[in-house]
Structures are given as C-alpha cells and as structure tokens.
Amino acid sequence: MDIKLKIWRQSGPKQAGFFEDHRVEADPHMSFLEMLDVLNEQLLEAGKDAVAFDHDCREGICGACSMVIDGNPHGPRAGTTACQLHMREYHDGDEIVIEPWRAAAFPIVKDLVVDRSAFDRIQHAGGYVSVGTGSAPDANTIPIGKRESDQAFDYAACIGCGACVAACPNASAMLFVSSKVAHLSLLPQGKVERKARVRNMVAAMDAEGFGGCTNHGECEAACPKSISVDAIALLNREYLYAGLARD
Amino acid sequence: MKLDAKIPSGPIGDKWDKARFELKLVNPANKRHHKLIIVGSGLAGASAAASLAELGYDVDCFCFQDSPRRAHSIAAQGGINAAKNYQNDGDSVYRLFYDTVKGGDYRSREANVYRLAQVSVNIIDQCVAQGVPFAREYGGVLANRSFGGAQVSRTFYARGQTGQQLLLGAYSALNRQIAQGKVKMHPRTEMLDLVVVDGHARGIITRDLITGEIRPWAADAVLLATGGYGNVFYLSTNAKNCNVTATYRAYKRGAGFANPCFTQIHPTCIPVSGDYQSKLTLMSESLRNDGRVWVPRNKADVNKPPNDIPPDDRYYYLEERYPSFGNLVPRDVASRAAKKVCDDGYGVSKTGEAVYLDFATAIERDGKAAIEDRYGNLFEMYERITGENPYKTPMRIYPAVHYTMGGLWVDYNLMSTIPGLHVLGEANFSDHGANRLGASALMQGLADGYFVIPYTIGNYIATHYHGEVSTKHPAFARAEAEVRERQRKLLEIGSKSGSKRKSVDYFHRKLGKIMWEYCGMARNAAGLEQALAQIPELREQFWDHAFVPGGADELNPWLEKAGRIADFLEFAELMCHDALYRDESCGGHFREEHQTEEGEAVRRDDEFAHGAVWEYTGVGTKPALHKEPLEFENVKLTTRSYK
Amino acid sequence: MSSATPTSARPFDRLVKALTSTISLKIVMALTGLVGVGFVLFHMAGNLQVFLGRDAYNDYAEFMQGLGPLKWIARGGLLTALALHVATAVVLIQRNQRARPERYAGLKQKQTSLAAMYMAELGMVLLAFIIYHIAHFTVGVVSTDFGGVNYYELQQATEEATRRDLYAHFIVSFQQPGIAITYILANLALAAHLAHGVTSTFKTAGIAVGRWKLPFEVAGPAIGVIVGLGNISMPLAIWAGFIGAT
Ligand SMILES: Cc1cc2nc3c(=O)[nH]c(=O)nc-3n(C[C@H](O)[C@H](O)[C@H](O)COP(=O)(O)OP(=O)(O)OC[C@H]3O[C@@H](n4cnc5c(N)ncnc54)[C@H](O)[C@@H]3O)c2cc1C
Ligand code: FES
C-alpha cells in the first residue's frame, strides 16, 4: 500500500520545525514503526538524514515511543501505543500526519524525539515508599485485599509515555502524577508518606510548567494503558486531605 | 588470565553466610568518599544503585534510554521465582537451587545458584514493601503460579507485567536516592569504553546522546548491569536498543567473556511476517498450560486453513514425543522440536516457519470465558499484531531468541577478571548455565543488585583500594581518544561509500541471518566455520559502506546504532568460536553432531563440564580460551529427560 | 520522611506555594463556583415568582431589598467569590496556555465536550453579562427607559404606601426583543458553563469518583439544563405574552 506521510522535522530544540512530505510503500502486516523504519532506510540510502523517533521495546511497555498520529497521541487505536499500531488500520493512498508530543515541559530534542525528563523529576519528588534494601518484613505480613491490590495495579500500569500530556488541551500531567499517587496511596505500604508525597509531587509538577486539569478526559482516551481519569479525582482528594488533615 | 571463582569453602548451605562474615566491610563514614559507577538501570543496575547509595556510596548511574524506567527489564512478562513455599507444595531453597542447576543443564556454578535461591525470598519482601502490586488471593495473601513446567508454584507475578512492576519498584528506590543527591543519574548517556588503570577498572568513557559530548568518568569501581546481547541475531524479543557494547568493550580491555554461545530461544513467539520485521514479540510461556502445539501430519495440508484439518491429520508432536511433560517441556526442548518439524517441511504460514498453538480443546473443556480470563490480554495482543482471532483460529508461533546466558565471567563476588569491574544481571554469565528457567532472570537481576553486590563491593573497596584516580590519568585520555577516533571513522564511511551506501540496519539484518542460520537453535561445525568466514567479510563491507548521516554533536540515533552494530560484528565471531569449541549439546546450545537417535541433546560432561572463558587477542583473531571447571558436590549430573 | 523537595524554603513561601499550586487554585475555583451555583439556583427560584403575578414578585423583591446588612454581606460574599473565580481562572488559563506554546497541526478531541473546550469563553460571556445584568436590574443604569418612562424608578401603590414596581421593569424589559435575546443567549452560556463546571467541581474536590462518578457526571448537565430552562422560560413567557400581557 502506498502511504503519504507528513512528518515533523526539527533539527534541534531552538530551530524552527516544519512538515516534510514523504511516500512509502507499506505492507498491511507492518507495525507503524516498521513503516517508519522503511522510510528511514529509503532516506539513508538516498544519503539523507533519517527521521529521529524514540522507541525501544516495541511491545507497548517501555513507554519510549511517542508521536501524535493524525492528531491522536499513539494513533487512532484505543489502548495501543504507536509501536503496537499496525498498518492494517490504514488504506492504500492514505495520508498520515505525524508530529511530536507538544508541551512546554517536553521540549523537542530532534524531529519526533522530546525530552520527558520532567516526568523523572516529578517521581524524584516522592514517587516511592521509603524502604531501604533489607528492611522489609515478610511479604505476607501485610494482607492486601485483592480488590485494592487490583485497583492499585490499574494505576501502576502507567508506562510514563506522556501521551496524557500530549492529548490534554492544557498539556497537563495530572494523569501521570495521579496514577503514581493513586497507586501508592491505595496500598498500606504507601499510606505512611501519603501527605508529603502528594504535596511534593504536585509542587514538582507545577514547577515543570505543565498545565492544569480542566476535566476534559482526553488523557484517559489517549492513555495506551487506559488508565482511568478517576486517578485525578483521587489525586485531588489526596491533596485536599494532605492540606486539611493534621500532621 | 587467572580464574579464581573465590567460592567459599564449607557446606553449600553455609557458604553465603560464611562469605558475608569474611567479606571486609567499609567504615560507614568512609563510604561516601568512594565513588561507584553503575552502568545500567534495569533490574540489576537500578537495584544496585539504590542499595549502594543507601549504604552511603557516592553513585553515578548511567543508561542510554531517556529514563531509567525504560530499561529492557520493563518488558518481562511472566513472573519472578522465589523459594517462599507460600503454597506449601514442597518448595524450598534447596529445590529451587536444584531445579536451576538441572534446568541449566549442569553448566552453572553451584555456589552462586544456591545463594540465588537463598536470597530469592528477600527479593519478594523487598518488592512488596516498595509497593509492587503482585497478584493476590481474595484473602489478601500473595498468589503464585507454576511457570515453565515447574513442579511447584513458586512464581510471583503481576499480571503479564511483572518486569514492569519490579522495575518501577527498583526505579522508585533509585529515585529516592537521586532525590537525596546520593545517586547522580545520567540518562541518555552511553558508555563507550572502560578505563583500566594499573590493572584495575577505574572509570568509563561516555557519550551524551543529546549533545554528543564525549567525556571520562573516574571511580573506585565500575559495575556493569548492561543486560544481554540477544540482538546480535537482529531479530529477538529484546528491546531494539539492547546491545553488547558495554560488555564487549570491557572484554576488549581484558575481561573474560564466558560461554558466549549460550543463548536461549523461547518457543512461543509471534512468527516473522516479512523482511521489514524489526523485532519479535514473545507470547507468554503460560499459554502452553492450555494451548496444544501441533502441525499438519501431511505436508499437503500446510497451506490449508487449520480448522479444515481433521483431528486425525494433526500432529501434536510435543504430546507424542514427550508423553509425560507434553506441551510443558522446557524452553530449549520445545524450541528445537518446533524447528525440527518446520525443517522437515511441516511448518505452516507463508514462511513455513510457524506451528500452531491451539486453544480449541481448552475452550471446549473450560469455556471461552475461562480462557479469556486467563489469557485475555495475551489474545488481544496477538490479535493486535497479527490481525487474527485466536479464539477462532489457532495461534501461529515460532521460537525466537530471547535471553543470553553467556556474559562476562564473574567470581562468587560478581567481579570479572578485571579487578574492580563487577558485572550484574543478564550481563554476567553466572547463574543459569546453558539454559535459564522461566522467571529466573528477574530473580537473578534483583538478587545481584539488592542482596549480593552491597556485600561484595565493600570487600573489594576494603581490600583493593589504591587511592583516588582522577580523569587526568593518561589512561583516560587514551581511551577517550580511541572512542573519538572510532566515532570519526563511523561518520566518515558514509561520505566515501557513495551510491553503494547502505543503512547500518542493513548490516545488522545480514549479521542476524548468519547468526540465526549457523549459530541459532541448532549448530554444527561446518555451519559455524561458514559463519566464521562470513562475519569478517560482512564486517569489512560494513566499514566500507555503512552510511551514518548527521554529525557527532547532536542526537544521532544512526551513529549510536552504528557503534553497537560494529561491536556486534566483532562479538558474533566470539560467539561462533565458543559454539564451535563447545563440542557437545547442552541446554540452549545444540550441536547437531551430539544428539540421540530421537534427536535429544547429548552432553559430554567429562570434556565440557566447565565454563569456557575467552580472552581478547585482537579483532579477527581467535580469542584465547580459559576454563573454569565446574564441580558438582550437591547435584548429581543426570540426563535431563522429559519423556 | 526524607522528603525530596527541599524543606529549607521559608514557611511563608511554602504556604504561598501550596496555596497557589494548580490543585489549590482549582479547589478555590471549584468552591467559588459552587457559591455561584447556589446563588444562581436561588436567584432563579426567586425570579420564577414572576409567574405568580405582580404582587407576589414585588413582595419578593421588597423582602430582598429589606434585608439590610444581610443583603450587603451576601452581595460582598458573592462579589468576592466571583472575583476569586475569575482571578483563579485567569491564572490557571495562563498556566495552561504557557504549557502548550506550540500548537498541533490538529489534535483530535475524543472525550471532551464543547462546553469544556470553551469554559473560558463562556466565562467571559457570563462576566460581561453579569455586569450588564447588575447595571440593568440591580443598579438600574441601563435599559431602564422605555417609551419615556424610567421603569426602574416606577412605583407600585399598595394599601399602605407605594413600593418599587420591579415587576413592571422585568416585564417591559423582556418585551424588548433585544434584551430578551441577550438574556436567552447568556443563559444558554450559563447552562453550558454549569454543565461542565458543576461536574468538574466535584471531580476537583475528589468526590466524583468510583460509584459517585456517574451521579456527578449527570448532575452537572442536569443543573445546567434546569437553570437554563428555568431562566429562559421567563423571557420566553413574557415575549410570548404568557405573562405580563397588558
Ligand atoms: C520479552 C521478554 C520477557 C521476559 N520475561 C521474563 C520473565 O517473565 N521472567 C524473568 O525472570 N525474566 C524474563 N525476561 C528476561 C529478563 O527480563 C532480563 O533478563 C532482565 O530483565 C535483564 O535485566 P538487567 O538489569 O540485567 O538488564 P536490562 O534490563 O537489559 O538493563 C540494561 C541497562 O543497561 C543500560 N545499558 C546497556 N548498555 C549500556 C551502555 N553501553 N551505556 C549505558 N547504559 C547501557 C541500559 O540503558 C539499561 O538501563 C524476559 C525478557 C524478555 C525479552
Ligand atoms: S517502543 Fe516501548 S512502548 Fe512503544
């Protein structure tokens, strides 16, 4: 199948970017990234610079791949990362527009590659349980209900790709932050530090220059792990609790 | 090269205790004056960095991904073993030890494996305390499953995302140390060389992948936790950027490389669909609990829709050949059996390299809902990739490269043959012998990082510390100059190669084909000789025609790849030398010359019960062999039989 | 705990930071919004008495006017809430805009609503309308003279004395198509603003989650529809000659 591509090219963070037109011959069984590989191979054999994009596991778990495909972070298929998207979703002659995540907190490094270190810095602020190696009690000492555990897992499934920020009209990182806060605060292990955690993580989030949540729910729709936007309400609740409850 | 495994004396159960007592300690107040470099932020690297920083060491940690959380460990699916015996089904430290040594086809070091089984229980405690949401029973206790044909249920799991959850746990511990300023994390920074000063590993040279800056780092010890090299085959289940560079460069600086030919081929992966294929996707081993593997009995049927083939015309080859284990035979056995039927012409799909994994019987027996409950997400993943519905038509699967048991040789203290260079996780050769059991890699990575290296590194520092070294030492300048020169050369090829230019991936794919053909699931002397002839040719073509666009001082993924592929092109030869040398079949290494009439592997214990450790002698020349004899004092060597 | 953010910042600075965090501002916005919702419902209920005729309506108006200091406290409170609502909106919107300096070629919206997308614009319309509305009915400086009569000053004779005939002002105002249309449009904007705002409020407060999610997701649009219909019914009824026909 003949595919037309409009791809964002930008040589560096300060340089101006632009859309570049390309054509590739794709196979319906290819993954989307394999289609880009084919394009890159074409470019390289022609002696040109190829399109830079982040990727690693190519099975939807590392969170490296990150591109907005026709206005959809990770492409049109719900609950699917760009690397899991396959060309059978497209038809011969389709035109596909590919651009990077766009957010002030995710500056563009090159082409489709952005700098997501802001996410790491938010995690540094409190995305952990303070337990040193060796000081853990036997794992079965604290029983945790299957329901709570499953719920915590639903939030822990976040792959840190940043699609929530990319999709949010306000470039807000609240789904990312809230899924970590929700994961830990739902578990007894995480409850001890819950107040400091939520305060510090929210402060770090603000410092990075993300926008705020205005409850569009676009993050949930774009999340390749289908994390529920309920997390954000839980985050707000934790934050209120941290502010109101006595230390 | 001297191979002293430093195995503590005494009964196996007491060795680790004894070692821990005998290992020298570093004064707590002094620890912060000792700088450690940790390369890698996967399970092994992140857990080590966090634990060592907690102890007070001054840690610099490096990874090439944009965040430590994206290390390849994130992709592990099935689970992690531990001898908790929560199920009361007869498990014990000794049994896990025994199973691992046997599963490794008696090519691992007993003492290391025993220690691994011992600390496995602490790993689960640690992870749970960090908030890792392992699967639980309704009563609130941890759930277990049996994995990869194990006779006991000792595998802890977090849906199909165990590696992710464990890594996020280790990453969170790492983050705590980063926040406290005790670990300085350097993401998107690739180690390109090891610096050895007076015979001791004292630093590394890195390239900042964003700015291209090449710079030296000095430390009191260097820890490599850089993962496996399965991508030498181009197609594997590993993440695309996994590579051998860190360990190979260490090898070139004098570290012994042990058993490089030991690779694990996982039996249940989604088959190749075309030339553009960039990686292979693993389908969890657990599928074999309910799925039945078959191919058509008649060659004429290979292109028929599977549902049109009547039951009598289906060859359930695992069930027929291995009546007692059936579809649950270990990975190496299942993989080879699939290869055999496909080589014999019974393979299905347009490539002829696929077998069916059929759930019809299970669906009929337990109902669709039950199967969906067990494997729903896997079925969905399969459908996403192939566009086929496995509830209706059998899955098509084929073996793929998955894990590398070989790695840098380390002693009991995880130190390589270069003093100060410690190697953790998949990057070392230590615990899995010739075949790794399912759910044991995660265990080993975390054991190394959380519970072994924190003790053993102290001993090295306490006994070997030779005072501070700065990057002003000429060894750093030399290594840095070499790295720059190599990079310059790589960037230069493109400008000379003109219209004959090829992408670096082109060469990687070609190398992968050679390796898969001659050094893959089945190997023989003639084939390996072939490979040893073809690899240098390919390497030469690479240095003539590989086109690397862009410059050195920017994000340049093609330059990164070129460097890694250049190393693979040398390393592949080492693998073939090792495979050729090891004139026996064991575990994942199957030499066609050594099989029974029924095609089962034949080990040669009297000749090959040792680790083959290779010393670098120059590009293109045969490396020098050293042997670490393996002594089995506790486990009796038997022939693995799954009949 | 060994918290990550440096705790060396002065307590006052930390307090300011905490109070101006995105979530705190959102909470202020939600609470002040809630005050607004309460007022809007009360205001509507009061005004709907126009359907009961001149006396009833003027009774209500007289009662409200006679509240004395209470009236001023309420007015002060409402204006403060409004001011805070607007101020937090301005700050949050600025932050949101700064967070995405470069636009997409086209971002597909999958889940949001038009109301949610245009909350700020709706808010601006409402602010303008509130100013006009106060000038019109509360202060009586615009849209008061019809046919040479100042209806704002008009008195109704009762048994004991006279009192202001705000009913007449009400009726005659809405008999003017321009004014009626302005009110109808403004109330459509209000309905949309509430539809998203009310639900949002409860999400921001961390209540609309789990089994409470659906009820609150319904509550927003429901209140929007009720307020919209209630308020629009009055100009429509007047316009159609259903009430106040002379
Ligand atoms: C699909 C799949 C499923 C698996 N499932 C299971 C399972 O269920 N159970 C199980 O036990 N095992 C499983 N495994 C195996 C297991 O995941 C790995 O063996 C293990 O995670 C390796 O961990 P590691 O820490 O050694 O290395 P990795 O996680 O590979 O980390 C390597 C790190 O080193 C860094 N690095 C490498 N080279 C350099 C360099 N030159 N410079 C700087 N940094 C560098 C990388 O950035 C990365 O941070 C699976 C493997 C795969 C592929
Ligand atoms: S490449 Fe890992 S999630 Fe897409």
Side-chain angles (χ1 to χ4, degrees), chain A residues 55-65 81 83 159:
Chain A
H55 67 103
D56 201 7
C57 72
R58 295 208 177 186
E59 42 185 82
I61 193 73
C62 74
C65 60
T81 54
C83 60
I159 59 174

Short mmCIF file of all heavy atoms in Angstrom, two decimals, chain A residues 55-65 81 83 159, ligand 2:
data_model
loop_
_atom_site.label_atom_id
_atom_site.label_comp_id
_atom_site.label_asym_id
_atom_site.label_seq_id
_atom_site.Cartn_x
_atom_site.Cartn_y
_atom_site.Cartn_z
N HIS A 55 12.04 4.94 20.58
CA HIS A 55 11.40 3.62 20.61
C HIS A 55 12.37 2.69 21.28
O HIS A 55 13.57 2.94 21.31
CB HIS A 55 11.13 3.13 19.19
CG HIS A 55 12.39 2.84 18.44
ND1 HIS A 55 12.85 1.57 18.23
CD2 HIS A 55 13.33 3.66 17.91
CE1 HIS A 55 14.02 1.62 17.59
NE2 HIS A 55 14.33 2.87 17.39
N ASP A 56 11.87 1.61 21.85
CA ASP A 56 12.79 0.60 22.37
C ASP A 56 12.15 -0.78 22.38
O ASP A 56 12.46 -1.62 21.57
CB ASP A 56 13.32 0.99 23.75
CG ASP A 56 14.64 0.28 24.09
OD1 ASP A 56 15.18 -0.40 23.20
OD2 ASP A 56 15.12 0.38 25.23
N CYS A 57 11.19 -0.99 23.29
CA CYS A 57 10.67 -2.36 23.44
C CYS A 57 9.84 -2.81 22.24
O CYS A 57 9.78 -3.98 21.92
CB CYS A 57 9.81 -2.46 24.70
SG CYS A 57 8.22 -1.62 24.54
N ARG A 58 9.16 -1.88 21.62
CA ARG A 58 8.25 -2.16 20.52
C ARG A 58 7.19 -3.19 20.89
O ARG A 58 6.72 -3.96 20.06
CB ARG A 58 9.01 -2.61 19.27
CG ARG A 58 9.89 -1.49 18.73
CD ARG A 58 10.12 -1.58 17.25
NE ARG A 58 10.90 -0.44 16.78
CZ ARG A 58 11.15 -0.19 15.52
NH1 ARG A 58 10.70 -1.00 14.58
NH2 ARG A 58 11.85 0.87 15.18
N GLU A 59 6.87 -3.25 22.15
CA GLU A 59 5.71 -4.07 22.51
C GLU A 59 4.81 -3.38 23.51
O GLU A 59 4.06 -4.02 24.23
CB GLU A 59 6.08 -5.48 22.93
CG GLU A 59 7.29 -5.65 23.83
CD GLU A 59 7.59 -7.13 24.06
OE1 GLU A 59 8.23 -7.77 23.19
OE2 GLU A 59 7.17 -7.64 25.09
N GLY A 60 4.89 -2.06 23.53
CA GLY A 60 3.89 -1.31 24.29
C GLY A 60 4.10 -1.26 25.79
O GLY A 60 3.16 -1.07 26.53
N ILE A 61 5.34 -1.40 26.26
CA ILE A 61 5.50 -1.42 27.71
C ILE A 61 6.57 -0.45 28.20
O ILE A 61 6.49 0.02 29.34
CB ILE A 61 5.77 -2.87 28.20
CG1 ILE A 61 5.63 -2.98 29.72
CG2 ILE A 61 7.13 -3.35 27.75
CD1 ILE A 61 4.24 -2.93 30.21
N CYS A 62 7.54 -0.09 27.37
CA CYS A 62 8.62 0.76 27.89
C CYS A 62 8.24 2.22 27.91
O CYS A 62 8.81 3.01 28.64
CB CYS A 62 9.90 0.55 27.09
SG CYS A 62 9.90 1.30 25.46
N GLY A 63 7.27 2.59 27.07
CA GLY A 63 6.83 3.98 27.05
C GLY A 63 7.74 4.90 26.27
O GLY A 63 7.62 6.12 26.36
N ALA A 64 8.64 4.35 25.50
CA ALA A 64 9.57 5.21 24.76
C ALA A 64 8.89 5.85 23.55
O ALA A 64 9.06 7.04 23.30
CB ALA A 64 10.79 4.42 24.31
N CYS A 65 8.13 5.06 22.81
CA CYS A 65 7.59 5.61 21.56
C CYS A 65 6.59 6.70 21.90
O CYS A 65 5.87 6.63 22.89
CB CYS A 65 6.97 4.52 20.70
SG CYS A 65 5.62 3.63 21.45
N THR A 81 -0.14 1.59 21.99
CA THR A 81 0.98 2.51 21.76
C THR A 81 1.30 2.55 20.27
O THR A 81 0.92 1.65 19.52
CB THR A 81 2.23 2.02 22.50
OG1 THR A 81 2.47 0.66 22.11
CG2 THR A 81 2.06 2.08 24.00
N CYS A 83 3.95 1.85 18.84
CA CYS A 83 4.71 0.70 18.38
C CYS A 83 3.84 -0.53 18.18
O CYS A 83 4.23 -1.47 17.50
CB CYS A 83 5.85 0.38 19.36
SG CYS A 83 5.30 0.02 21.03
N ILE A 159 2.93 3.68 31.85
CA ILE A 159 4.24 3.44 31.25
C ILE A 159 5.05 4.72 31.10
O ILE A 159 6.13 4.72 30.51
CB ILE A 159 4.12 2.71 29.89
CG1 ILE A 159 3.28 3.51 28.89
CG2 ILE A 159 3.56 1.31 30.08
CD1 ILE A 159 3.26 2.91 27.49
S1 FES D 2 8.52 1.27 21.98
FE1 FES D 2 8.19 0.66 24.04
S2 FES D 2 6.15 1.32 24.31
FE2 FES D 2 6.43 1.69 22.22
#
